[in-house]
Amino acid sequence: DAVNGAQYAQNVHLSSNETTLLTSSTGGVDKKINIEYKGAGNNTYLDNYIAGQGPTVYTTELTYTIISQ
């Protein structure tokens, strides 16, 4: 189930700075949040093969914190 009454941030850019993705005045158990990632610059890295690598792999780490209010 989704988080009822949640306010979702739109077009959030990944960075090393803290950013709020969503807020909600109510809590819940077993709620789910979907995050859709689109590559920067019109999916720049989607088909960016680098010779000598097989395959070329790009990774990122997303850290999140749930803060009770």
Side-chain angles (χ1 to χ4, degrees), residues 6-68:
Q7 308 259 320
Y8 295 88
Q10 300 294 317
N11 301 315
V12 176
H13 296 276
L14 296 180
S15 74
S16 60
N17 300 319
E18 183 176 304
T19 303
T20 300
L21 298 177
L22 72 99
T23 58
S24 177
S25 60
T26 60
V29 176
D30 294 328
K31 300 299 180 185
K32 295 177 177 47
I33 300 167
N34 292 321
I35 304 291
E36 179 180 325
Y37 171 75
K38 293 183 180 179
N42 207 19
N43 290 315
T44 302
Y45 295 105
L46 188 62
D47 290 318
N48 189 27
Y49 173 76
I50 297 174
Q53 294 183 5
T56 301
V57 177
Y58 297 93
T59 62
T60 190
E61 183 175 312
L62 176 64
T63 304
Y64 65 91
T65 304
I66 299 173
I67 301 172
S68 175

